Amino acid sequence: MDVVVIGAGIVGAACAFHAASAGLSVTVLDRGPVGAGTTSRGEGNILLSDKEPGPELELARLSRDLWDEVGKELGSGEVEFENKGGLVVASTPDGLAALHAFAARQAAAGVHTELVDHLREFEPHIAPGLPGGVHYPQDAQVQPVLAAAGLLRAAVRRGARVRTGEAVAAVTGTGGRVTGVRTADGAVLAADAVVNAAGTWGGEVGRRLGAPVAILPRRGFVLVTEPLPPMIRHKVYSADYVANVASSDEGLETSCVVEGTRAGTILIGASRERVGFDTAMNPAVVALLAAQACRLFPFLRDVHLIRAYRGFRPYCPDHLPVVGPDPRVPGVLHACGHEGAGIGLAPGTGALITAQLLGRPWRGADPAAHTGLLPDRFLTTGGVPK
């Protein structure tokens, strides 16, 4: 089977890796360099801690296991894979009760959780007086561009081809089925299946393939400090982060997320706002994120920021990724709409797409769990989920 994967970010790379590992003939196309889109604009989060029980959590659990396997093949040091764990912190007793209830639902779904009363035993430099939190030992981090490049190199070792600087214009077909793709410069590549892994641009690529999906950009900022000695042990974030991720509001939302990197810098997030593809810097958002981080870790008041970057998360109105075959165009499959979770969900997405290409069962805790991710939920006017 010949498969064309559109997108050389982390999700497209994972799809290529798993498809090539299964013996399929794979070509990856991207209009830009490897990992240059949303993949290069994130923190590299691999999280179970922020997901409600349901299809996304099932995908995240599978992906977490696969990240361990990928780390062994690629070399944890080469992709800066760190099994650091996450610490979710409540600021009020009521917030802590809600966080405990959320963690209990996750634990019932198979997530490892540990209630924490004394936060400074986990994070010695955290602000005093916070009532508690929950530790998630399975949360991890990876350097996303290194990981995408590593997965593609591994796919190439298995026979895949990677062609950058080539945008896809349309699919070609006969008898109602895909036979290939046509690039913007008129070249045609034969394909039995086409995977839309175009991230934030998945909606536009889906339209070109005759299978539009409701993927919208959601802008976010990340701050980077000067390199420091190790000061923060885990990925630490405030409990309201989960609510902000699940919100559909168009306006600005921020919640405190702080973590260290292997290079010594500290990453500070997270903001979300729907402003189209507006790339403008917003100093007010930077100042707000910095102030929130300083309240959580007071030592940061004396630390310099060296840069702030921003990018677009591929937002889907029902907050679930779109993974699977599109019934409107046989041969087209989607692997996009992961919003800020694409790094963590990439390996499971690649494995699921490959299983669907081969007609095999999904390697997941619940074989039926992936049905909530399928594109057929978009089959209403305008492509809005049912």
PDB file of all heavy atoms in Angstrom, residues 87-91 236-242 254-257 296:
ATOM      1  N   LEU A  87       2.960  17.843  38.483  1.00  0.00           N
ATOM      2  CA  LEU A  87       2.390  18.232  39.774  1.00  0.00           C
ATOM      3  C   LEU A  87       1.338  19.302  39.517  1.00  0.00           C
ATOM      4  O   LEU A  87       1.661  20.401  39.048  1.00  0.00           O
ATOM      5  CB  LEU A  87       3.480  18.771  40.702  1.00  0.00           C
ATOM      6  CG  LEU A  87       3.037  19.139  42.120  1.00  0.00           C
ATOM      7  CD1 LEU A  87       2.576  17.904  42.885  1.00  0.00           C
ATOM      8  CD2 LEU A  87       4.169  19.840  42.872  1.00  0.00           C
ATOM      9  N   VAL A  88       0.081  18.967  39.779  1.00  0.00           N
ATOM     10  CA  VAL A  88      -1.025  19.903  39.596  1.00  0.00           C
ATOM     11  C   VAL A  88      -1.367  20.490  40.961  1.00  0.00           C
ATOM     12  O   VAL A  88      -1.571  19.748  41.935  1.00  0.00           O
ATOM     13  CB  VAL A  88      -2.251  19.215  38.978  1.00  0.00           C
ATOM     14  CG1 VAL A  88      -3.344  20.241  38.685  1.00  0.00           C
ATOM     15  CG2 VAL A  88      -1.858  18.488  37.697  1.00  0.00           C
ATOM     16  N   VAL A  89      -1.428  21.812  41.032  1.00  0.00           N
ATOM     17  CA  VAL A  89      -1.493  22.521  42.308  1.00  0.00           C
ATOM     18  C   VAL A  89      -2.800  23.297  42.412  1.00  0.00           C
ATOM     19  O   VAL A  89      -3.198  23.998  41.469  1.00  0.00           O
ATOM     20  CB  VAL A  89      -0.298  23.483  42.437  1.00  0.00           C
ATOM     21  CG1 VAL A  89      -0.378  24.265  43.729  1.00  0.00           C
ATOM     22  CG2 VAL A  89       1.014  22.714  42.350  1.00  0.00           C
ATOM     23  N   ALA A  90      -3.454  23.180  43.544  1.00  0.00           N
ATOM     24  CA  ALA A  90      -4.658  23.963  43.815  1.00  0.00           C
ATOM     25  C   ALA A  90      -4.294  25.179  44.666  1.00  0.00           C
ATOM     26  O   ALA A  90      -3.376  25.123  45.488  1.00  0.00           O
ATOM     27  CB  ALA A  90      -5.687  23.115  44.545  1.00  0.00           C
ATOM     28  N   SER A  91      -5.017  26.269  44.474  1.00  0.00           N
ATOM     29  CA  SER A  91      -4.732  27.494  45.227  1.00  0.00           C
ATOM     30  C   SER A  91      -5.714  27.731  46.363  1.00  0.00           C
ATOM     31  O   SER A  91      -5.468  28.583  47.224  1.00  0.00           O
ATOM     32  CB  SER A  91      -4.738  28.700  44.289  1.00  0.00           C
ATOM     33  OG  SER A  91      -5.986  28.809  43.621  1.00  0.00           O
ATOM     34  N   VAL A 236       4.854  21.657  36.528  1.00  0.00           N
ATOM     35  CA  VAL A 236       3.976  22.153  37.589  1.00  0.00           C
ATOM     36  C   VAL A 236       2.961  23.099  36.965  1.00  0.00           C
ATOM     37  O   VAL A 236       3.333  24.027  36.240  1.00  0.00           O
ATOM     38  CB  VAL A 236       4.780  22.898  38.675  1.00  0.00           C
ATOM     39  CG1 VAL A 236       3.858  23.324  39.818  1.00  0.00           C
ATOM     40  CG2 VAL A 236       5.910  22.016  39.206  1.00  0.00           C
ATOM     41  N   TYR A 237       1.693  22.858  37.248  1.00  0.00           N
ATOM     42  CA  TYR A 237       0.694  23.795  36.735  1.00  0.00           C
ATOM     43  C   TYR A 237      -0.488  23.906  37.678  1.00  0.00           C
ATOM     44  O   TYR A 237      -0.749  23.035  38.505  1.00  0.00           O
ATOM     45  CB  TYR A 237       0.254  23.442  35.316  1.00  0.00           C
ATOM     46  CG  TYR A 237      -0.466  22.136  35.093  1.00  0.00           C
ATOM     47  CD1 TYR A 237      -1.849  22.031  35.259  1.00  0.00           C
ATOM     48  CD2 TYR A 237       0.215  21.007  34.646  1.00  0.00           C
ATOM     49  CE1 TYR A 237      -2.511  20.854  35.007  1.00  0.00           C
ATOM     50  CE2 TYR A 237      -0.438  19.826  34.381  1.00  0.00           C
ATOM     51  CZ  TYR A 237      -1.808  19.749  34.568  1.00  0.00           C
ATOM     52  OH  TYR A 237      -2.472  18.575  34.305  1.00  0.00           O
ATOM     53  N   SER A 238      -1.173  25.035  37.567  1.00  0.00           N
ATOM     54  CA  SER A 238      -2.327  25.300  38.421  1.00  0.00           C
ATOM     55  C   SER A 238      -3.527  24.503  37.948  1.00  0.00           C
ATOM     56  O   SER A 238      -3.673  24.201  36.756  1.00  0.00           O
ATOM     57  CB  SER A 238      -2.654  26.795  38.439  1.00  0.00           C
ATOM     58  OG  SER A 238      -2.899  27.267  37.136  1.00  0.00           O
ATOM     59  N   ALA A 239      -4.404  24.175  38.884  1.00  0.00           N
ATOM     60  CA  ALA A 239      -5.528  23.289  38.588  1.00  0.00           C
ATOM     61  C   ALA A 239      -6.474  23.886  37.555  1.00  0.00           C
ATOM     62  O   ALA A 239      -7.188  23.136  36.865  1.00  0.00           O
ATOM     63  CB  ALA A 239      -6.285  22.972  39.876  1.00  0.00           C
ATOM     64  N   ASP A 240      -6.503  25.210  37.402  1.00  0.00           N
ATOM     65  CA  ASP A 240      -7.423  25.802  36.429  1.00  0.00           C
ATOM     66  C   ASP A 240      -6.960  25.605  34.992  1.00  0.00           C
ATOM     67  O   ASP A 240      -7.693  25.903  34.044  1.00  0.00           O
ATOM     68  CB  ASP A 240      -7.652  27.287  36.708  1.00  0.00           C
ATOM     69  CG  ASP A 240      -6.362  28.100  36.701  1.00  0.00           C
ATOM     70  OD1 ASP A 240      -5.279  27.510  36.572  1.00  0.00           O
ATOM     71  OD2 ASP A 240      -6.456  29.339  36.860  1.00  0.00           O
ATOM     72  N   TYR A 241      -5.764  25.067  34.791  1.00  0.00           N
ATOM     73  CA  TYR A 241      -5.284  24.776  33.436  1.00  0.00           C
ATOM     74  C   TYR A 241      -6.230  23.807  32.721  1.00  0.00           C
ATOM     75  O   TYR A 241      -6.510  23.964  31.533  1.00  0.00           O
ATOM     76  CB  TYR A 241      -3.877  24.179  33.523  1.00  0.00           C
ATOM     77  CG  TYR A 241      -3.302  23.663  32.228  1.00  0.00           C
ATOM     78  CD1 TYR A 241      -2.682  24.519  31.326  1.00  0.00           C
ATOM     79  CD2 TYR A 241      -3.357  22.309  31.906  1.00  0.00           C
ATOM     80  CE1 TYR A 241      -2.138  24.050  30.141  1.00  0.00           C
ATOM     81  CE2 TYR A 241      -2.818  21.828  30.723  1.00  0.00           C
ATOM     82  CZ  TYR A 241      -2.223  22.695  29.844  1.00  0.00           C
ATOM     83  OH  TYR A 241      -1.690  22.221  28.684  1.00  0.00           O
ATOM     84  N   VAL A 242      -6.722  22.806  33.440  1.00  0.00           N
ATOM     85  CA  VAL A 242      -7.595  21.807  32.816  1.00  0.00           C
ATOM     86  C   VAL A 242      -8.869  22.467  32.291  1.00  0.00           C
ATOM     87  O   VAL A 242      -9.323  22.193  31.181  1.00  0.00           O
ATOM     88  CB  VAL A 242      -7.937  20.685  33.815  1.00  0.00           C
ATOM     89  CG1 VAL A 242      -8.932  19.696  33.205  1.00  0.00           C
ATOM     90  CG2 VAL A 242      -6.670  19.973  34.250  1.00  0.00           C
ATOM     91  N   THR A 254      -5.555  32.446  30.487  1.00  0.00           N
ATOM     92  CA  THR A 254      -4.211  32.072  30.909  1.00  0.00           C
ATOM     93  C   THR A 254      -4.299  31.223  32.171  1.00  0.00           C
ATOM     94  O   THR A 254      -5.206  31.383  32.985  1.00  0.00           O
ATOM     95  CB  THR A 254      -3.340  33.303  31.220  1.00  0.00           C
ATOM     96  OG1 THR A 254      -3.921  34.037  32.300  1.00  0.00           O
ATOM     97  CG2 THR A 254      -3.198  34.198  30.004  1.00  0.00           C
ATOM     98  N   SER A 255      -3.366  30.311  32.305  1.00  0.00           N
ATOM     99  CA  SER A 255      -3.221  29.516  33.521  1.00  0.00           C
ATOM    100  C   SER A 255      -1.749  29.192  33.659  1.00  0.00           C
ATOM    101  O   SER A 255      -1.029  29.039  32.665  1.00  0.00           O
ATOM    102  CB  SER A 255      -4.059  28.235  33.455  1.00  0.00           C
ATOM    103  OG  SER A 255      -3.812  27.537  32.248  1.00  0.00           O
ATOM    104  N   CYS A 256      -1.286  29.076  34.897  1.00  0.00           N
ATOM    105  CA  CYS A 256       0.145  28.986  35.148  1.00  0.00           C
ATOM    106  C   CYS A 256       0.679  27.579  34.893  1.00  0.00           C
ATOM    107  O   CYS A 256       0.191  26.612  35.475  1.00  0.00           O
ATOM    108  CB  CYS A 256       0.435  29.404  36.584  1.00  0.00           C
ATOM    109  SG  CYS A 256       2.177  29.603  36.901  1.00  0.00           S
ATOM    110  N   VAL A 257       1.678  27.483  34.027  1.00  0.00           N
ATOM    111  CA  VAL A 257       2.367  26.232  33.738  1.00  0.00           C
ATOM    112  C   VAL A 257       3.865  26.530  33.757  1.00  0.00           C
ATOM    113  O   VAL A 257       4.327  27.407  33.024  1.00  0.00           O
ATOM    114  CB  VAL A 257       1.969  25.658  32.367  1.00  0.00           C
ATOM    115  CG1 VAL A 257       2.667  24.327  32.121  1.00  0.00           C
ATOM    116  CG2 VAL A 257       0.457  25.498  32.260  1.00  0.00           C
ATOM    117  N   LEU A 296       3.593  31.494  41.694  1.00  0.00           N
ATOM    118  CA  LEU A 296       3.730  30.066  41.987  1.00  0.00           C
ATOM    119  C   LEU A 296       5.152  29.730  42.452  1.00  0.00           C
ATOM    120  O   LEU A 296       5.342  28.915  43.357  1.00  0.00           O
ATOM    121  CB  LEU A 296       3.372  29.251  40.743  1.00  0.00           C
ATOM    122  CG  LEU A 296       3.253  27.740  40.928  1.00  0.00           C
ATOM    123  CD1 LEU A 296       2.182  27.380  41.950  1.00  0.00           C
ATOM    124  CD2 LEU A 296       2.950  27.062  39.592  1.00  0.00           C
TER     125      LEU A 296
END
